[in-house]
Amino acid sequence: MGMRVFKQVPRILFGRDSIGRIQELLPKKLGASDYYVYVVDSVHKKTMIANRLNLADADMLIYVDTENEPSTTMVDNLKAEVMKSKNTLPKAVIGIGGGSAMDLGKGLAVMLTNAGNAKEYQGWDLVKNPAVFKVGVPTLSGSGSEASRTAVFYSEDKKFGINSDFSMYDAILMDPSLLATVPAAQRFWTAMDCYIHSVESIEGTMINDLARSYALNGLRLCRKYFLEDGTDDELMVASFMGGASVVNSEVGICHALSYGISLELGYHHGIANCIVFNVLDEYYGIHVNDFREMLKKHHIKLPENVCAGVSPEGFERMIAMTFRMEKPLTNALGPNWREILSKEKVIELYRRM
Ligand code: NAD
Ligand code: ZN
């Protein structure tokens, strides 16, 4: 397996109530017309996070609805909104929220400097020009978007990442106090995304000691949080570690299958991963046992029999989506994954969920 250059987020401000210091991470404004664009999950109208950002008159504050996970069209619309109200590029784009809002922030920053529609850049290293300077602020922990190279979006028949060094944040602000308002179930689903990133990284063929070391910490902190007595500070670190581990390895079979049920059945990423992970004993055995213990301890019920109403054409779409995930499947099963994972096997796994 070829070695890859491992890019990391170069600047990080970590600590409770650091949100009030966001300006320290931003490039300086030089004139009165310089501005920043804040892309903020609309849940934060309630938390009034805007009051803590030190907004200037010229800045744009755009709330994004994350009831549905983001699409490339949403990115295109954000770009249009910025270009309509300003005639210069912003000095920075700041994405504030969970994976959805952070990915929208990345997507906007990339598309402001690249022509065409966002869906043209879904894939590996397709982005041509460096993005506008961008800062990520996680307010929900687990996706690891704050640490990763990718920005994941739906477009017509697929869910896929814009995966590029240009789609990694230039700085992130990790303020664990921002997690206080996350509802318990959401906290669990999204944290399990991090747990699964760590498992898939460790158990994959692309693992190396650098990625393993991040993943082991992601795993340890998730287990501590859900089986012993962890803090939100630790959960926020876990998310970062899980994301960083995947930057230098890959996700695996759980993600390849979960994109299928998200696409066809609309399940959000965290819960979709949990539904899938629960049937992956033969791939991730002991980690699946721990996962079930966490479910039990937190009285979380998984949806059952989720593919009961899926039509034959629906299964075809889900299978096509799964087989499109070549890198994760290569990581999970090796370069000959096509010989190992048959269509029938994929259907059998889907039917057990
Ligand atoms: P999310 O961003 O979709 O948010 C889930 C819910 O939590 C939303 O209703 C949101 O409003 C709410 N929320 C967020 N912060 C909150 C807070 N502080 N208080 C109360 N509610 C809050 O969930 P997610 O699981 O973080 O992200 C999922 C998305 O991220 C998917 O689109 C997935 O594909 C993507 N993803 C991206 C990467 C990456 O590396 N870029 C990795 C994994 C997942
Ligand atoms: Zn994930």
Side-chain angles (χ1 to χ4, degrees), residues 8 10 34 45 59 74 131 136 150 176 180 204 221 225 260 283 287 321 330 341-342:
Q8 296 200 69
D34 279 349
K45 286 180 190 164
D59 292 337
M74 287 176 73
T150 182
L221 292 170
Y225 191 87
Y283 304 98
H287 305 295
M321 183 66 238
T330 305
L341 190 72
S342 65

PDB file of all heavy atoms in Angstrom, residues 8 10 34 45 59 74 131 136 150 176 180 204 221 225 260 283 287 321 330 341-342:
ATOM      1  N   GLN A   8      -2.362  17.732   8.242  1.00  0.00           N
ATOM      2  CA  GLN A   8      -3.095  17.939   9.495  1.00  0.00           C
ATOM      3  C   GLN A   8      -3.573  19.374   9.585  1.00  0.00           C
ATOM      4  O   GLN A   8      -2.999  20.251   8.956  1.00  0.00           O
ATOM      5  CB  GLN A   8      -2.169  17.704  10.689  1.00  0.00           C
ATOM      6  CG  GLN A   8      -1.653  16.311  10.821  1.00  0.00           C
ATOM      7  CD  GLN A   8      -1.185  16.062  12.246  1.00  0.00           C
ATOM      8  OE1 GLN A   8      -1.968  15.995  13.180  1.00  0.00           O
ATOM      9  NE2 GLN A   8       0.113  15.925  12.415  1.00  0.00           N
ATOM     10  N   PRO A  10      -3.340  22.787  10.895  1.00  0.00           N
ATOM     11  CA  PRO A  10      -2.133  23.378  11.491  1.00  0.00           C
ATOM     12  C   PRO A  10      -2.351  24.173  12.787  1.00  0.00           C
ATOM     13  O   PRO A  10      -1.412  24.317  13.564  1.00  0.00           O
ATOM     14  CB  PRO A  10      -1.588  24.303  10.390  1.00  0.00           C
ATOM     15  CG  PRO A  10      -2.722  24.536   9.462  1.00  0.00           C
ATOM     16  CD  PRO A  10      -3.682  23.401   9.599  1.00  0.00           C
ATOM     17  N   ASP A  34     -13.531  44.302   4.069  1.00  0.00           N
ATOM     18  CA  ASP A  34     -13.182  42.892   4.317  1.00  0.00           C
ATOM     19  C   ASP A  34     -14.217  42.258   5.261  1.00  0.00           C
ATOM     20  O   ASP A  34     -14.733  42.927   6.161  1.00  0.00           O
ATOM     21  CB  ASP A  34     -11.783  42.788   4.951  1.00  0.00           C
ATOM     22  CG  ASP A  34     -10.692  42.880   3.892  1.00  0.00           C
ATOM     23  OD1 ASP A  34     -11.019  42.820   2.693  1.00  0.00           O
ATOM     24  OD2 ASP A  34      -9.515  43.029   4.269  1.00  0.00           O
ATOM     25  N   LYS A  45     -29.423  29.337  16.714  1.00  0.00           N
ATOM     26  CA  LYS A  45     -30.239  30.524  16.976  1.00  0.00           C
ATOM     27  C   LYS A  45     -30.653  30.481  18.442  1.00  0.00           C
ATOM     28  O   LYS A  45     -30.663  31.475  19.137  1.00  0.00           O
ATOM     29  CB  LYS A  45     -31.495  30.516  16.090  1.00  0.00           C
ATOM     30  CG  LYS A  45     -31.220  30.856  14.646  1.00  0.00           C
ATOM     31  CD  LYS A  45     -32.517  30.823  13.857  1.00  0.00           C
ATOM     32  CE  LYS A  45     -32.235  30.915  12.379  1.00  0.00           C
ATOM     33  NZ  LYS A  45     -33.382  30.526  11.565  1.00  0.00           N
ATOM     34  N   ASP A  59     -19.578  41.444   8.206  1.00  0.00           N
ATOM     35  CA  ASP A  59     -19.585  39.974   8.191  1.00  0.00           C
ATOM     36  C   ASP A  59     -20.947  39.426   7.760  1.00  0.00           C
ATOM     37  O   ASP A  59     -21.974  40.073   7.940  1.00  0.00           O
ATOM     38  CB  ASP A  59     -19.257  39.420   9.590  1.00  0.00           C
ATOM     39  CG  ASP A  59     -17.821  39.711   9.990  1.00  0.00           C
ATOM     40  OD1 ASP A  59     -16.974  39.922   9.087  1.00  0.00           O
ATOM     41  OD2 ASP A  59     -17.540  39.731  11.213  1.00  0.00           O
ATOM     42  N   MET A  74     -26.968  22.649  -1.764  1.00  0.00           N
ATOM     43  CA  MET A  74     -26.896  23.617  -0.657  1.00  0.00           C
ATOM     44  C   MET A  74     -25.597  24.410  -0.726  1.00  0.00           C
ATOM     45  O   MET A  74     -25.568  25.605  -0.449  1.00  0.00           O
ATOM     46  CB  MET A  74     -26.998  22.902   0.695  1.00  0.00           C
ATOM     47  CG  MET A  74     -28.402  22.399   0.999  1.00  0.00           C
ATOM     48  SD  MET A  74     -28.444  21.447   2.555  1.00  0.00           S
ATOM     49  CE  MET A  74     -28.276  22.759   3.776  1.00  0.00           C
ATOM     50  N   ALA A 131      -8.687  26.761  -1.316  1.00  0.00           N
ATOM     51  CA  ALA A 131      -9.947  27.366  -0.862  1.00  0.00           C
ATOM     52  C   ALA A 131      -9.684  28.687  -0.142  1.00  0.00           C
ATOM     53  O   ALA A 131      -8.541  29.022   0.176  1.00  0.00           O
ATOM     54  CB  ALA A 131     -10.644  26.395   0.087  1.00  0.00           C
ATOM     55  N   GLY A 136     -13.005  25.706  11.438  1.00  0.00           N
ATOM     56  CA  GLY A 136     -14.095  24.842  11.871  1.00  0.00           C
ATOM     57  C   GLY A 136     -14.308  24.914  13.376  1.00  0.00           C
ATOM     58  O   GLY A 136     -13.346  24.978  14.138  1.00  0.00           O
ATOM     59  N   THR A 150     -12.191  15.640   4.167  1.00  0.00           N
ATOM     60  CA  THR A 150     -13.358  15.448   3.312  1.00  0.00           C
ATOM     61  C   THR A 150     -14.554  16.288   3.735  1.00  0.00           C
ATOM     62  O   THR A 150     -14.662  16.713   4.877  1.00  0.00           O
ATOM     63  CB  THR A 150     -13.708  13.928   3.247  1.00  0.00           C
ATOM     64  OG1 THR A 150     -14.805  13.731   2.387  1.00  0.00           O
ATOM     65  CG2 THR A 150     -14.031  13.382   4.595  1.00  0.00           C
ATOM     66  N   PRO A 176     -15.249  22.529  24.357  1.00  0.00           N
ATOM     67  CA  PRO A 176     -16.154  21.459  24.832  1.00  0.00           C
ATOM     68  C   PRO A 176     -17.423  21.975  25.485  1.00  0.00           C
ATOM     69  O   PRO A 176     -18.417  21.242  25.550  1.00  0.00           O
ATOM     70  CB  PRO A 176     -15.293  20.695  25.849  1.00  0.00           C
ATOM     71  CG  PRO A 176     -13.877  21.035  25.507  1.00  0.00           C
ATOM     72  CD  PRO A 176     -13.914  22.440  24.976  1.00  0.00           C
ATOM     73  N   ALA A 180     -22.775  21.145  25.505  1.00  0.00           N
ATOM     74  CA  ALA A 180     -23.733  21.007  26.611  1.00  0.00           C
ATOM     75  C   ALA A 180     -25.169  20.846  26.139  1.00  0.00           C
ATOM     76  O   ALA A 180     -25.963  20.152  26.776  1.00  0.00           O
ATOM     77  CB  ALA A 180     -23.612  22.217  27.539  1.00  0.00           C
ATOM     78  N   GLY A 204      -8.290  -2.046   9.546  1.00  0.00           N
ATOM     79  CA  GLY A 204      -8.141  -2.027   8.090  1.00  0.00           C
ATOM     80  C   GLY A 204      -6.737  -2.395   7.620  1.00  0.00           C
ATOM     81  O   GLY A 204      -5.789  -2.454   8.417  1.00  0.00           O
ATOM     82  N   LEU A 221     -11.168   6.820  24.400  1.00  0.00           N
ATOM     83  CA  LEU A 221     -11.945   7.924  24.970  1.00  0.00           C
ATOM     84  C   LEU A 221     -13.447   7.706  24.772  1.00  0.00           C
ATOM     85  O   LEU A 221     -14.249   8.075  25.629  1.00  0.00           O
ATOM     86  CB  LEU A 221     -11.490   9.257  24.367  1.00  0.00           C
ATOM     87  CG  LEU A 221     -10.069   9.670  24.777  1.00  0.00           C
ATOM     88  CD1 LEU A 221      -9.586  10.871  23.958  1.00  0.00           C
ATOM     89  CD2 LEU A 221     -10.003   9.999  26.275  1.00  0.00           C
ATOM     90  N   TYR A 225     -16.031   7.334  27.819  1.00  0.00           N
ATOM     91  CA  TYR A 225     -17.184   8.227  27.905  1.00  0.00           C
ATOM     92  C   TYR A 225     -18.481   7.441  28.103  1.00  0.00           C
ATOM     93  O   TYR A 225     -19.323   7.808  28.923  1.00  0.00           O
ATOM     94  CB  TYR A 225     -17.295   9.077  26.632  1.00  0.00           C
ATOM     95  CG  TYR A 225     -18.293  10.194  26.763  1.00  0.00           C
ATOM     96  CD1 TYR A 225     -17.925  11.429  27.288  1.00  0.00           C
ATOM     97  CD2 TYR A 225     -19.625  10.008  26.398  1.00  0.00           C
ATOM     98  CE1 TYR A 225     -18.847  12.442  27.429  1.00  0.00           C
ATOM     99  CE2 TYR A 225     -20.551  11.021  26.543  1.00  0.00           C
ATOM    100  CZ  TYR A 225     -20.153  12.241  27.060  1.00  0.00           C
ATOM    101  OH  TYR A 225     -21.065  13.248  27.214  1.00  0.00           O
ATOM    102  N   GLY A 260     -25.210   3.434   1.815  1.00  0.00           N
ATOM    103  CA  GLY A 260     -26.332   2.850   1.075  1.00  0.00           C
ATOM    104  C   GLY A 260     -27.659   3.076   1.776  1.00  0.00           C
ATOM    105  O   GLY A 260     -28.635   3.496   1.157  1.00  0.00           O
ATOM    106  N   TYR A 283     -16.618  -9.024  10.970  1.00  0.00           N
ATOM    107  CA  TYR A 283     -15.510  -8.146  10.575  1.00  0.00           C
ATOM    108  C   TYR A 283     -14.865  -7.460  11.783  1.00  0.00           C
ATOM    109  O   TYR A 283     -13.660  -7.282  11.826  1.00  0.00           O
ATOM    110  CB  TYR A 283     -15.995  -7.084   9.584  1.00  0.00           C
ATOM    111  CG  TYR A 283     -16.658  -7.679   8.366  1.00  0.00           C
ATOM    112  CD1 TYR A 283     -18.043  -7.769   8.274  1.00  0.00           C
ATOM    113  CD2 TYR A 283     -15.883  -8.188   7.324  1.00  0.00           C
ATOM    114  CE1 TYR A 283     -18.651  -8.340   7.165  1.00  0.00           C
ATOM    115  CE2 TYR A 283     -16.479  -8.760   6.202  1.00  0.00           C
ATOM    116  CZ  TYR A 283     -17.870  -8.830   6.129  1.00  0.00           C
ATOM    117  OH  TYR A 283     -18.466  -9.404   5.042  1.00  0.00           O
ATOM    118  N   HIS A 287     -15.216  -5.362  18.933  1.00  0.00           N
ATOM    119  CA  HIS A 287     -15.661  -3.956  18.972  1.00  0.00           C
ATOM    120  C   HIS A 287     -17.186  -3.866  18.880  1.00  0.00           C
ATOM    121  O   HIS A 287     -17.786  -2.934  19.405  1.00  0.00           O
ATOM    122  CB  HIS A 287     -15.030  -3.171  17.829  1.00  0.00           C
ATOM    123  CG  HIS A 287     -13.538  -3.262  17.793  1.00  0.00           C
ATOM    124  ND1 HIS A 287     -12.739  -2.752  18.793  1.00  0.00           N
ATOM    125  CD2 HIS A 287     -12.690  -3.819  16.893  1.00  0.00           C
ATOM    126  CE1 HIS A 287     -11.465  -2.984  18.490  1.00  0.00           C
ATOM    127  NE2 HIS A 287     -11.402  -3.629  17.354  1.00  0.00           N
ATOM    128  N   MET A 321     -24.232   1.957  -4.492  1.00  0.00           N
ATOM    129  CA  MET A 321     -23.594   2.950  -3.612  1.00  0.00           C
ATOM    130  C   MET A 321     -22.457   2.297  -2.819  1.00  0.00           C
ATOM    131  O   MET A 321     -21.361   2.851  -2.695  1.00  0.00           O
ATOM    132  CB  MET A 321     -24.650   3.545  -2.667  1.00  0.00           C
ATOM    133  CG  MET A 321     -24.139   4.639  -1.740  1.00  0.00           C
ATOM    134  SD  MET A 321     -23.616   6.145  -2.579  1.00  0.00           S
ATOM    135  CE  MET A 321     -21.913   6.246  -2.038  1.00  0.00           C
ATOM    136  N   THR A 330     -11.398  -1.367  -0.019  1.00  0.00           N
ATOM    137  CA  THR A 330     -10.005  -1.807  -0.144  1.00  0.00           C
ATOM    138  C   THR A 330      -9.355  -1.835   1.228  1.00  0.00           C
ATOM    139  O   THR A 330      -8.634  -2.778   1.580  1.00  0.00           O
ATOM    140  CB  THR A 330      -9.218  -0.856  -1.073  1.00  0.00           C
ATOM    141  OG1 THR A 330      -9.895  -0.779  -2.320  1.00  0.00           O
ATOM    142  CG2 THR A 330      -7.801  -1.353  -1.295  1.00  0.00           C
ATOM    143  N   LEU A 341     -16.289  -9.649  -1.489  1.00  0.00           N
ATOM    144  CA  LEU A 341     -17.611  -9.139  -1.128  1.00  0.00           C
ATOM    145  C   LEU A 341     -18.548  -9.243  -2.327  1.00  0.00           C
ATOM    146  O   LEU A 341     -18.540  -8.391  -3.211  1.00  0.00           O
ATOM    147  CB  LEU A 341     -17.497  -7.678  -0.667  1.00  0.00           C
ATOM    148  CG  LEU A 341     -18.756  -7.098  -0.041  1.00  0.00           C
ATOM    149  CD1 LEU A 341     -19.005  -7.700   1.338  1.00  0.00           C
ATOM    150  CD2 LEU A 341     -18.650  -5.573   0.072  1.00  0.00           C
ATOM    151  N   SER A 342     -19.385 -10.294  -2.321  1.00  0.00           N
ATOM    152  CA  SER A 342     -20.321 -10.460  -3.444  1.00  0.00           C
ATOM    153  C   SER A 342     -21.563  -9.615  -3.208  1.00  0.00           C
ATOM    154  O   SER A 342     -21.830  -9.163  -2.093  1.00  0.00           O
ATOM    155  CB  SER A 342     -20.720 -11.931  -3.558  1.00  0.00           C
ATOM    156  OG  SER A 342     -21.449 -12.296  -2.402  1.00  0.00           O
TER     157      SER A 342
END
